Amino acid sequence: MSQPDISTIHVDLLLTEGFVLTEYAGVVDQLRLANRIALKRFFSWRSLSARGGPVACSSDAVVNTTPFEPYPEADYVFAIGNSDPAHPDLSMGRVIDTYVSRGTKVILLAEAASRYIGERGDRGLTTHWENRAVLQEQIGLEDATQVLATEQGQIITSAGMGSTVDVVLTIMARHIPAATVSAVADVLLHDRIRDLGTLQPFGGSGVALTGDKVLDGCIALMQANIEEPLPISELVRLAGVSSRSLERRFRDKLASRPAEYYRALRLNKANNLLLNTSMPINEIALACGFPSGFTPHYRALFGLTPQAARQQRRSGGRETG
């Protein structure tokens, strides 16, 4: 079997204020590791932004950038996600079209993918499951792909976050020896390169949070029944265990009771809708299984009312996480 044709692969990274450091590092650290392991300059990279200069991520780290170029030269370009999917600088359609016209492969991560999908109206692409609420409101997106990444021609859209590692390793394998790719994954303690068609853990498949098959199955049922929550007695029946056994499993593994965990799951979904869409608060409450009592439950978990949380987001309040 012949080895991949090896020459230096040039990668651009497009950043906006508040970019996600996990995704930036998921690209750069792997390129750096590949070069270090192989003792060859397989990859080169640079960081760009609309205006150039220092750009801060949501974790307060700062990256120096150069301005976008009218005639960029790169083999791949990554548009990094942003903690605010409504950020105006995420609208990079013209920049993306410039790269595409010059034969560059474009990878859009998380919120960058969401903005592209929303502006182009393409339902065949993917993004992080958290951003689906934004697209449901913008373009009526309902049933769409929930995989880690999709590839259509020169455009790859990805869920971003941890899946960035899988996307970069997959791209690397197209250009450098498999042994080097494997070594990079080993250094990262990444024991399995997930196929890009793998369902996102919360976006469409059961999450193995605890390793307890019964408990993880129960959590999957909760995730699948947000708008019309199942009674705990029904969860017990479907799980095939006693009520006491289920209570014990939740207490031992998650330090919570089933009803408390279920409520928090629904409140976190409501919080995503509240902060990232303009849906009326009463509609959000109903969509997350709260026909009544939404505000007191929300305040108990997040420390402020839904109205105050939305106002804080709109006024540019800083993230605490």
Side-chain angles (χ1 to χ4, degrees):
M1 182 176 179
S2 61
Q3 293 290 339
D5 183 28
I6 300 170
S7 58
T8 300
I9 305 299
H10 301 285
V11 177
D12 282 355
L13 296 99
L14 309 184
L15 306 182
T16 64
E17 284 292 331
F19 70 89
V20 177
L21 186 58
T22 301
E23 295 170 4
Y24 181 81
V27 179
V28 171
D29 279 354
Q30 291 187 86
L31 304 182
R32 177 184 58 81
L33 281 170
N35 289 351
R36 189 197 80 183
I37 290 166
L39 300 179
K40 294 179 181 178
R41 196 166 182 258
F42 281 151
F43 299 98
S44 66
W45 60 91
R46 59 183 185 162
S47 302
L48 302 94
S49 66
R51 289 165 288 280
V55 177
C57 71
S58 56
S59 304
D60 296 329
V62 176
V63 172
N64 288 318
T65 67
T66 57
F68 294 154
E69 297 179 348
Y71 305 105
E73 295 291 341
D75 297 291
Y76 292 91
V77 59
F78 285 81
I80 306 298
N82 179 286
S83 57
D84 178 10
H87 196 289
D89 284 356
L90 280 177
S91 184
M92 292 185 281
R94 286 188 178 181
V95 177
I96 291 166
D97 288 343
T98 298
Y99 276 101
V100 168
S101 70
R102 299 180 68 77
T104 303
K105 193 81 166 180
V106 178
I107 302 95
L108 303 158
L109 305 178
E111 290 78 18
S114 295
R115 181 61 67 86
Y116 183 84
I117 295 167
E119 293 179 349
R120 302 297 170 98
D122 193 328
R123 290 168 166 76
L125 304 176
T126 196
T127 183
H128 192 284
W129 65 262
E130 224 181 11
N131 299 322
R132 286 174 54 78
V134 179
L135 295 175
Q136 285 171 350
E137 184 179 38
Q138 286 181 348
I139 62 173
L141 183 72
E142 293 294 341
D143 297 322
T145 182
Q146 299 179 48
V147 296
L148 294 181
T150 56
E151 184 169 5
Q152 294 185 2
Q154 288 175 244
I155 302 293
I156 294 176
T157 55
S158 165
M161 298 305 287
S163 71
T164 305
V165 174
D166 302 281
V167 171
V168 175
L169 289 171
T170 298
I171 289 172
M172 278 185 175
R174 299 175 182 179
H175 300 282
I176 67 176
T180 305
V181 177
S182 178
V184 171
D186 287 345
V187 171
L188 292 170
L189 305 181
H190 200 72
D191 62 348
R192 180 173 66 91
I193 303 175
R194 292 177 292 180
D195 182 88
L196 301 188
T198 303
L199 288 174
Q200 295 175 41
F202 188 73
S205 66
V207 173
L209 281 176
T210 69
D212 182 317
K213 186 175 180 180
V214 170
L215 190 54
D216 289 338
C218 186
I219 292 170
L221 285 169
M222 291 177 174
Q223 292 169 343
N225 293 274
I226 296 291
E227 185 171 353
E228 297 183 8
L230 297 173
I232 299 301
S233 59
E234 179 66 5
L235 288 172
V236 167
R237 186 187 71 79
L238 292 171
V241 296
S242 68
S243 177
R244 179 174 295 181
S245 174
L246 193 63
E247 289 270 354
R248 177 180 55 76
R249 290 169 190 265
F250 267 90
R251 182 184 66 246
D252 292 348
K253 294 286 189 178
L254 300 169
S256 181
R257 301 181 66 183
E260 292 169 349
Y261 186 90
Y262 203 175
R263 183 166 57 248
L265 194 68
R266 288 154 44 219
L267 285 167
N268 278 295
K269 172 67 180 294
N271 193 49
N272 179 48
L273 293 171
L274 184 77
L275 300 182
N276 294 317
T277 76
S278 60
M279 283 177 64
I281 291 174
N282 65 321
E283 291 185 15
I284 291 174
L286 291 173
C288 296
F290 292 97
S292 63
F294 175 59
T295 293
H297 285 309
Y298 185 94
R299 184 169 49 215
L301 183 61
F302 296 107
L304 69 173
T305 66
Q307 294 89 339
R310 177 168 274 179
Q311 181 58 41
Q312 185 179 86
R313 177 58 174 259
R314 288 174 175 170
S315 63
R318 289 179 62 84
E319 291 183 274
T320 58

